[in-house]
Structure formats: C-alpha cells, structure tokens
Amino acid sequence: MNQTTYNSLKAFIWGIANDCLVDVYDVGDYRKVILPFFVIRRFDAVLMPKHDDVVKKRIEFEKKGITVDIDPALCTIAGQAFCNRSDYTLTDLKSRTNQQQLKRDFIAYLDGFSQNVQEILSKFKIRNEIDTLSEHDRLGLLIEKFVDPRYNFSTEPVLNDDGTVRIEGLDNHSMGTLFEDVIRQFNEETNITDAGRHFTPRDIVELMADLAFIPVQDQIQSTTYRIYDGACGTGGMLTVGEQHIQTLAARRGKRVSIKLFGQENADETYAIARADMLVKGEGAQANNIRYGSTISEDRFAHEEFDFMLSNPPFGTSWKSELKAWGDIKKDDISDPRFIIEYDGNPEFSLVPDIGDPQMLFLANNISKMKRSPGLKSRIVEVHSGSAMFTGKAGSGWSNLRRYIIEQDMLEAIVALPENMFYRAGISTYLWIVTNKKEDRRKGKVQLIDATSMKSALRKNLGDKNCELTPEINRQILGWYLAFDSAPAQYSKVFENAEFGYWSVDIHRPLRLTIRITDAGIESLPSKGKDAVIKELMIAAKEKLGTQEWHNYNDFMQQLDELAGSLNLKLTAARIGLIKKLFTSISEDAEPVLNTDGSPESDKNLKETAQVPLLYEGGISAFFENEVHPYVTDAWVDETSIVVGYELSFNKYFYMPIELRNARDIINDIQNIEENTDGLLSSIIGGVL
C-alpha cells in the first residue's frame, strides 16, 4: 500500500474516534471500540463479495433441518477460512433508523460469524460496549463511518469501470501495521508510557527477514518450513518472513509450504494476529496463533522450528510469571527451557533478573531449534544492550551468553541506530543465532556497527526519528555476507573466546593490631552467658598488659591459654566480640591466621578480577603479571573461579573525537577579536 493511501486510512480511523466517541468515552477508552470495529469492518469487507451466496446456502441447510456444523461448508462458499451466516452486512445495518432494531440486528450480525472469529471478538470484548453505543445513538454512526465507500478495507482493490485501480487493497502487513499505528496513537493521546511497545517497524522487520533467509537461500528446498515468533504481537514478522522465503524459493524454482506459529499474551494484538491469518485464507494456521505467556505457558512445548523471528519485551518485570508457575520463587524454576544440564552442572541456570524477560525468550527459541540433519534453525531476535553485558559471571544472563557462544551458535550481532523504535533513547541490537554455521564462520562471531546507517524521517513516529531504507538494509546485509572482508569501520570478526573471561576473587590478608582498653572492657556485657568475657579481658589486662600487639595470632594464643585456665571457651561469637571492641586494621600488623594456618581474608580488600580467556598463560600468568607486583601478599581464591561472557560494541568500535589543533583555535579567537573590535564602543555610544 502506498504511503498516501495508508496515511489517509489512518487519519480516517482516528477521525471516526473523534467524531463518534467524544463525550461518550474518555480518549483512553476509544480503543475499546475502534480496534474491534476496525477488525470487524475488515472481515465484513473481505466477506462482502460472497455474502449473498453464503446466506443462500445457509437457508438451504435450514430447509433440510441442518443447523449444526455447517461453518466449514459456508466458509468454502465464502472462499475464506471464516464466514458470517447472518442475513446482514455492515452496509445493510447502516440503513437502520431504530436504535433497538439496530442493536438486535448488530448482535445477530456478530453472532453470525464462524467460531474462529468468535474467539477474536471475545478477546476484543466488543459486546460489552454495545449497550453504551446504542444508548447514546453512536452504534449506527460508527457503522455508517466505517462503511464509507471512499475507504477500502478489503484485500482486493476497488476498480474503476475500465478496470483500473481506484482504491488499492489493504494487504495483510499494512493491516497489521495500521493496527499498531492506531494503538500507538491512542496510547500517546493518553500518555501511556509504553506507547508502541507492540510495534516492530517494517524497516526493521525487513532487515531481520533478510538476515534470517538470504544467507541460506541456496539451501532452500521444495519442502515445508516452520516459522515461529514467541512474542508475535499482530503477526507482522511472521507475515513478512513468509513473503521473503516464498520469494527466495520462487527465484530458485522451488515450491515451499510455509507454516506460521506464534504466541501472544495481549488480548488485542492476539486478536489481530488471528484475524490476519483468517483473512489470508489460512484457517488452520490461525489455530497456530495461540494465546498465553510464552514464558510460563509455552503453547508449543517440545516443538521445533526452522526460523524464529522475534522482538521480545525488555526492561519490564516478569514477576507475574512466577505466580503463573504456582507462586514459586525465581530459584525454584525448573522449566527445562531455562534450567539445563551443561558443563557438568545439571542445574545450569539461564534465568535472568526478575526485571527483564528478554533472555528468557531467547532461551525459549534455542530450546526449539531443530537438531536433525539439514538446514537446522536460524534465530533473529531484537535485544537491548542489557542482553550483551548485564549480569556477573554465573548469573542467568551470563550463562545464556556462555552457552550460546561456547556451543558456537552466535553468528553475528548488528547494532542498530538509536530511536529506531518508539521507545525513546534505547539502543537495540539484532542477534543472529544458528546451530548450523557455514565453515568460515565456525568458532567466530561477527559484530556489525550499523548505528550510523539511518535516514531521517520527515516526521517522527512517536520517538522513532529515523529509518532503514532498502539501500541501507542492503548495505548492512552486504557487510554480513562479506564477513571478514567487510570494512573494519563497520564490521569486525572475533574468535568466540574473545568475549569470555574468568571471574576470580583476589584476596589480601586481614591485618589487625589488638590492645586491651578500659573502654572496650566497659562495652562488654555484664550479664548473660557472655559476661564471662568481661572477666577474661580484665584478667588479660593484668597478665598481658595494655600495650598494642602487632601479632594478633600471638595475642589470641595467650588469651586462649588464659581462658583455658579459667575454664572458659572462646567460641566464634566471643572471638568476634573481642575483634569488634579491641582490634584495629593496620598495614603494619601481621596477617591474621585461620585455624589451619592460612591467612584470613580482609573482606574490605577483596577484589573480583575478570581475566580474559585469551590471556596468555591464563589466571596464574595474569596474577603474576597484573596483581602480584603491586600487592605481594595477595592470593587467588581457586574456589571462586567462574566462567562468564559479555560483549561490548564500544570496546571495539568507539572512535574518539579528534581534537582541533591548538593553533587553529587560537587563530579563530584572534579573528573573533578583530571582527568585534569597536563593537562595545558602538553599543554604549562611545562612552567608556
């Protein structure tokens, strides 16, 4: 659909809301009516050409006493995966002048839709609004507006008498995009902070589809391919994905069958996704768009897919999923998609922080990759920067990165320009993941910096102020395909291990001096089971004196002997109390020793180092080169070593701003002084 027609249709729909719902609904509630009417009108327009034939066939069935299970036959007559058996179209209802009659007929019209449409209508909850619309005489007005012949909601174009196109048809992706646009506009009018959260702009979807299919286009065979989106929204990615692979297959003389699968947990977007499938004549595929949370209610458990495209939610809490799992805690999750066996750990966790679910969607997709010989699976998924670096080694974030990279599944990451989506100021990245890399990519990861590749929009769409033109998309795809031959300014290739590191704790000994003071003794308890410590320290003062001891261990040995002579036991709690009241940290003191003779660690001096996996000589060499020369008493805690992974585009692509030459700056200042000579005098009239 061309942009002019699209913009006209969008303005028309928004105008209906303002014309028909003002003073009846708050602006924030316009969507309750407009969105379902939008879809109903879409169905109505698609069914219009065969409506009379469907009614005629229904009457034939009724005369034969057949009233049950006739939807399949009527759908065949309609030529669609859905039908409406009622006597009316929306155009018929436009002529009703009696509001009660209109209300009854409209309800009958809705009831006439086949069962697969009924589920869509129930998610929109449009029946809840009929009484309000009827009581305020707005139902007829709404219908009249939506059937305006100047606007075409059908997939087929409206033709002139000579066969030329008067009004082009509304294709399925434009329908989904238009729906998303209307949602965003409603949200913005009411200052909803997540305006546009459902929407992945068409230019991004096109790039994702290119990266998913074009690299393997020569491997496409005449067979069935399954495309999946676990956060499908209105199904736009599925639709574009299908179009891309069909086009690529046709160019190579292949005939492919495409099966689409998606899951969505928002009522409205789920309804539009199923509606799109029905309008495309794919009733069976509509059943593959399933309702519910992908995280806690996987509707495609144990299934595998060839291609997975997704833009999952990020930066939002997924705490509600724990309740759906049975009100469990995060550490109690046992879902095999997120808790796997890896590296000898039967409970290797891929679960991220509770405040961001995006990596759960990626883990879900990985669990659905094909393991059988052949093309296997490709994933292209949108992520925020958090997916690359959030989480310490051993966390769910880092573990998933580790698993993907060590299993050699991360093919590339593309950094997109900012403000490509409706979320303000968010940097976004496309992850390309596959379990069948081509030979030249094995053991390597490609990073593509496309942050400067953008074309400014003439008018912002929410916070989206730029787009990827087809030319830009081809350029990015070209860098991807060029791999290690792409220009280094935009693309770099690294060994997998480049992004890995050992997280290791570096300890230094606790060094304490100890001195018995009257203030410390007075602070000891005079009653209770620990009152004996006060007696002990008074005795120690008399025997050991009040001088400062620089060897804590020698002092405590003598104190322990004194305690034994008094039949007292120095428990850990009592030793802790003595440390609190009588010791001070001092670099000049001897290290405090544990009972096994090893130095006790000073928790305040502990550091956690990240040692690159590619560091020559490993942890021991790192310690000898980078730590020991500066802190000779430090040691490595071998039990703390954990492998982690993180990625950083800034590390590899940051270009510092070149500073101007000092002489050029001085010349500019001198020129300014010359050009403004006498300016002050002229301003104040020559009087100084």
Side-chain angles (χ1 to χ4, degrees):
M1 172 172 283
N2 71 61
Q3 196 63 40
T4 300
T5 304
Y6 177 88
N7 290 339
S8 175
L9 194 54
K10 182 172 71 172
F12 168 67
I13 293 171
W14 183 250
I16 293 175
N18 286 326
D19 292 343
C20 300
L21 304 182
V22 66
D23 297 330
V24 178
Y25 288 87
D26 292 333
V27 174
D29 290 332
Y30 283 2
R31 61 190 294 154
K32 294 180 180 179
V33 175
I34 296 300
L35 298 182
F37 259 86
F38 182 9
V39 172
I40 291 168
R41 175 58 180 132
R42 168 71 158 187
F43 287 149
D44 184 76
V46 170
L47 293 174
M48 180 74 74
K50 297 290 186 178
H51 172 72
D52 290 343
D53 294 337
V54 169
V55 173
K56 181 179 178 181
K57 190 66 176 179
R58 186 209 76 208
I59 293 173
E60 289 180 12
F61 280 131
E62 289 174 346
K63 288 180 178 179
K64 297 177 182 179
I66 303 173
T67 59
V68 179
D69 297 329
I70 62 175
D71 279 354
L74 297 182
C75 289
T76 300
I77 300 296
Q80 302 292 337
F82 60 100
C83 64
N84 188 312
R85 65 170 76 182
S86 77
D87 293 326
Y88 317 116
T89 66
L90 286 181
T91 301
D92 295 332
L93 298 179
K94 182 184 70 170
S95 62
R96 302 290 190 274
T97 57
N98 183 286
Q99 284 297 319
Q100 290 304 311
Q101 185 64 45
L102 173 61
K103 176 181 173 181
R104 286 192 295 272
D105 290 348
F106 181 67
I107 291 174
Y109 170 76
L110 295 182
D111 292 343
F113 278 110
S114 51
Q115 188 56 43
N116 47 11
V117 174
Q118 294 302 330
E119 183 181 2
I120 294 171
L121 298 178
S122 69
K123 292 299 181 185
F124 277 127
K125 302 179 178 64
I126 183 57
R127 286 182 172 85
N128 296 347
E129 309 303 325
I130 294 176
D131 285 342
T132 300
L133 293 170
S134 179
E135 289 168 5
H136 291 84
D137 294 336
R138 302 303 170 94
L139 182 58
L141 183 59
L142 267 172
I143 294 173
E144 182 179 359
K145 290 285 187 181
F146 266 104
V147 298
D148 189 324
R150 294 174 298 172
Y151 300 93
N152 183 19
F153 285 85
S154 172
T155 54
E156 301 299 321
V158 176
L159 304 178
N160 293 308
D161 293 338
D162 61 0
T164 58
V165 175
R166 178 159 60 91
I167 309 174
E168 62 181 310
L170 178 60
D171 65 89
N172 291 302
H173 186 80
S174 295
M175 171 71 181
T177 302
L178 182 59
F179 182 82
E180 297 277 13
D181 251 353
V182 172
I183 289 177
R184 178 184 56 78
Q185 195 163 0
F186 282 139
N187 287 348
E188 288 177 349
E189 287 293 322
T190 51
N191 295 316
I192 295 178
T193 57
D194 64 349
R197 71 180 178 90
H198 308 284
F199 185 57
T200 307
R202 178 67 179 254
D203 52 335
I204 302 296
V205 177
E206 293 284 351
L207 176 60
M208 293 174 68
D210 285 345
L211 292 169
F213 303 114
I214 290 180
V216 294
Q217 58 184 332
D218 293 335
Q219 301 176 49
I220 294 175
Q221 303 297 319
S222 296
T223 186
T224 298
Y225 291 100
R226 293 157 59 92
I227 304 175
Y228 168 75
D229 183 354
C232 71
T234 60
M237 284 191 189
L238 295 173
T239 300
V240 173
E242 179 181 25
Q243 293 170 349
H244 269 60
I245 195 170
Q246 290 282 15
T247 300
L248 293 173
R251 289 175 183 170
R252 284 155 182 77
K254 306 295 183 181
R255 298 185 64 181
V256 296
S257 173
I258 305 301
K259 303 298 183 184
L260 304 179
F261 302 83
Q263 186 162 345
E264 175 60 34
N265 68 344
D267 288 355
E268 291 170 345
T269 45
Y270 165 76
I272 194 69
R274 283 185 64 94
D276 268 354
M277 292 295 177
L278 291 180
V279 169
K280 287 192 296 185
E282 299 174 346
Q285 296 235 53
N287 294 328
N288 293 335
I289 304 299
R290 298 174 186 172
Y291 184 77
S293 169
T294 294
I295 296 175
S296 60
E297 189 184 359
D298 183 12
R299 302 294 301 278
F300 297 95
H302 311 301
E303 295 199 37
E304 295 179 341
F305 303 97
D306 299 285
F307 300 96
M308 287 167 265
L309 309 177
S310 191
N311 177 17
F314 39 84
T316 59
S317 173
W318 53 277
K319 190 173 183 179
S320 60
E321 308 290 352
L322 298 177
K323 183 174 286 294
W325 263 315
D327 208 11
I328 64 175
K329 296 180 179 178
K330 190 181 83 159
D331 293 340
D332 295 329
I333 293 173
S334 59
D335 192 308
R337 294 174 296 164
F338 312 129
I339 305 295
I340 65 174
E341 182 173 353
Y342 184 67
D343 193 31
N345 182 356
E347 295 186 350
F348 191 77
S349 175
L350 309 179
V351 180
D353 295 338
I354 205 74
D356 196 331
Q358 59 181 298
M359 295 300 263
L360 291 174
F361 283 86
L362 183 54
N364 170 70
N365 281 348
I366 289 172
S367 74
K368 300 185 186 305
M369 298 179 93
K370 284 190 169 181
R371 268 65 182 181
S372 56
L375 190 59
K376 294 196 175 179
S377 298
R378 291 180 64 79
I379 298 169
V380 181
E381 189 161 306
V382 181
H383 286 283
S384 70
S386 298
M388 295 194 299
F389 50 74
T390 296
K392 64 182 181 179
S395 69
W397 293 89
S398 178
N399 282 351
L400 181 55
R401 292 190 292 263
R402 176 187 175 187
Y403 179 74
I404 292 171
I405 294 174
E406 289 186 348
Q407 293 299 297
D408 202 19
M409 292 192 290
L410 182 58
E411 198 166 78
I413 297 179
V414 180
L416 299 175
E418 290 187 348
N419 298 322
M420 289 299 300
F421 294 79
Y422 291 114
R423 304 177 179 97
I426 286 182
S427 296
T428 48
Y429 303 81
L430 299 183
W431 287 49
I432 300 109
V433 178
T434 179
N435 56 352
K436 189 180 180 181
K437 285 185 178 180
E438 55 182 308
D439 288 342
R440 63 174 179 160
R441 290 185 179 271
K442 289 180 178 178
K444 298 178 180 179
V445 175
Q446 182 181 13
L447 302 183
I448 298 175
D449 180 14
T451 54
S452 62
M453 306 299 293
K454 56 188 176 182
S455 177
L457 293 174
R458 288 182 295 176
K459 181 181 179 181
N460 287 9
L461 296 174
D463 290 298
K464 179 179 172 63
N465 60 15
C466 58
E467 64 178 346
L468 301 177
T469 63
E471 293 74 22
I472 291 174
N473 277 356
R474 284 193 291 270
Q475 182 69 74
I476 296 172
L477 180 64
W479 294 335
Y480 169 84
L481 296 174
F483 190 49
D484 50 10
S485 299
Q489 178 183 355
Y490 299 104
S491 174
K492 300 183 189 296
V493 176
F494 301 94
E495 298 291 329
N496 286 346
E498 169 69 22
F499 309 108
Y501 63 90
W502 291 288
S503 174
V504 55
D505 290 344
I506 307 294
H507 292 272
R508 293 183 63 192
L510 177 64
R511 297 176 182 271
L512 296 177
T513 61
I514 187 165
R515 171 185 289 169
I516 300 175
T517 63
D518 292 337
I521 291 174
E522 287 300 319
S523 298
L524 289 167
S526 300
K527 298 179 180 180
K529 61 181 180 179
D530 289 330
V532 293
I533 298 300
K534 193 167 192 176
E535 299 174 13
L536 174 63
M537 295 311 291
I538 291 173
K541 176 182 175 183
E542 295 175 357
K543 183 174 181 178
L544 304 178
T546 59
Q547 73 274 19
E548 185 174 65
W549 291 62
H550 282 251
N551 192 318
Y552 170 86
N553 306 290
D554 287 349
F555 176 89
M556 291 304 294
Q557 182 178 355
Q558 295 194 41
L559 186 64
D560 188 50
E561 292 174 357
L562 179 59
S565 67
L566 298 175
N567 292 322
L568 300 179
K569 186 175 181 179
L570 286 179
T571 63
R574 289 170 176 176
I575 291 174
L577 189 58
I578 292 170
K579 277 185 179 180
K580 179 180 178 181
L581 296 175
F582 299 101
T583 64
S584 300
I585 293 176
S586 173
E587 286 290 323
D588 298 329
E590 293 295 319
V592 175
L593 301 179
N594 294 310
T595 55
D596 62 359
S598 63
E600 182 178 341
S601 174
D602 187 336
K603 296 179 181 179
N604 293 322
L605 297 180
K606 188 190 82 170
E607 298 284 349
T608 299
Q610 288 189 1
V611 183
L613 295 184
L614 295 179
Y615 195 95
E616 187 174 355
I619 295 174
S620 59
F622 175 88
F623 179 78
E624 291 301 325
N625 297 335
E626 312 291 343
V627 179
H628 193 255
Y630 309 102
V631 280
T632 56
D633 59 355
W635 73 91
V636 171
D637 180 2
E638 299 287 344
T639 65
S640 71
I641 299 174
V642 181
V643 175
Y645 278 79
E646 65 181 21
L647 303 99
S648 170
F649 268 73
N650 285 340
K651 177 179 178 180
Y652 303 111
F653 291 100
Y654 174 70
M655 298 290 290
I657 299 174
E658 185 176 349
L659 299 178
R660 295 181 62 199
N661 183 279
R663 174 48 56 189
D664 293 339
I665 297 174
I666 292 173
N667 289 338
D668 285 347
I669 294 173
Q670 290 174 339
N671 290 334
I672 292 172
E673 288 180 342
E674 292 176 2
N675 293 334
T676 58
D677 187 36
L679 179 61
L680 179 61
S681 178
S682 65
I683 292 174
I684 63 176
V687 180
L688 295 176

